[in-house]
Amino acid sequence: MRSERKAFMADCIFCKIVKGKIPSDKVMEGKHFIAIRDINPQAPVHILLITREHFKNILEFPRSEGMFFEMLSMIEKVVKAEKIEKGFRVVINTGLEAGQSVDHFHIHILGGREMKWPPG
Ligand code: AMP
């Protein structure tokens, strides 16, 4: 691994959460993902699925059946555990223009209120 990438990952807030170096409100753990409550919730339920391994965004996320299967299974488990089956939104902000503020792949699961479309 290149040294600039290692240095970047050492500073990555989600890498620190995954390693338990900074606290988080963890709701679920899988082999490839953890699920935590967002620190600045945009809905009554706002959970982040975060990859244990550092990938910058969805374009870097590996095309691996195991990871993809777990991602979908954990979305379903979170939605059921939080009882938001009747309406929820799954969001992956990618790039500055889309509002991605943490360059470590993660999925927002939002629910518990009415959602508008189109998103802002
Ligand atoms: P995005 O803007 O799509 O990259 O999403 C990053 C999300 O991470 C935002 O919704 C932040 O509120 C959330 N966030 C940042 N730091 C923390 C943290 N320490 N614990 C939980 N959520 C965080």
Side-chain angles (χ1 to χ4, degrees), residues 13-14 17 22-25 36-42 46 48 50 91-94 98-104 106 108:
I13 188 155
F14 286 176
I17 286 176
I22 59 172
S24 66
D25 188 356
I36 66 165
R37 290 195 194 280
D38 197 292
I39 206 167
N40 182 22
Q42 301 301 312
H46 187 171
L48 301 173
I50 299 175
V91 174
I92 303 173
N93 295 322
T94 308
Q100 183 177 8
S101 60
V102 179
D103 281 341
H104 178 132
H106 57 281
H108 299 257

Side-chain angles (χ1 to χ4, degrees), residues 62-75:
R63 274 53 183 157
S64 139
E65 279 182 26
M67 292 188 81
F68 198 66
F69 182 85
E70 187 178 278
M71 181 174 97
L72 294 177
S73 303
M74 279 184 76
I75 290 171

Side-chain angles (χ1 to χ4, degrees), residues 69-86:
F69 182 85
E70 187 178 278
M71 181 174 97
L72 294 177
S73 303
M74 279 184 76
I75 290 171
E76 182 185 357
K77 283 182 195 159
V78 165
V79 163
K80 288 183 174 164
E82 298 292 326
K83 302 186 174 28
I84 53 171
E85 296 97 319
K86 73 174 180 179

Side-chain angles (χ1 to χ4, degrees), residues 52-68:
R52 288 188 184 277
E53 204 176 322
H54 184 94
F55 307 107
K56 186 175 169 195
N57 57 35
I58 195 170
L59 301 177
E60 276 196 4
F61 182 68
R63 274 53 183 157
S64 139
E65 279 182 26
M67 292 188 81
F68 198 66

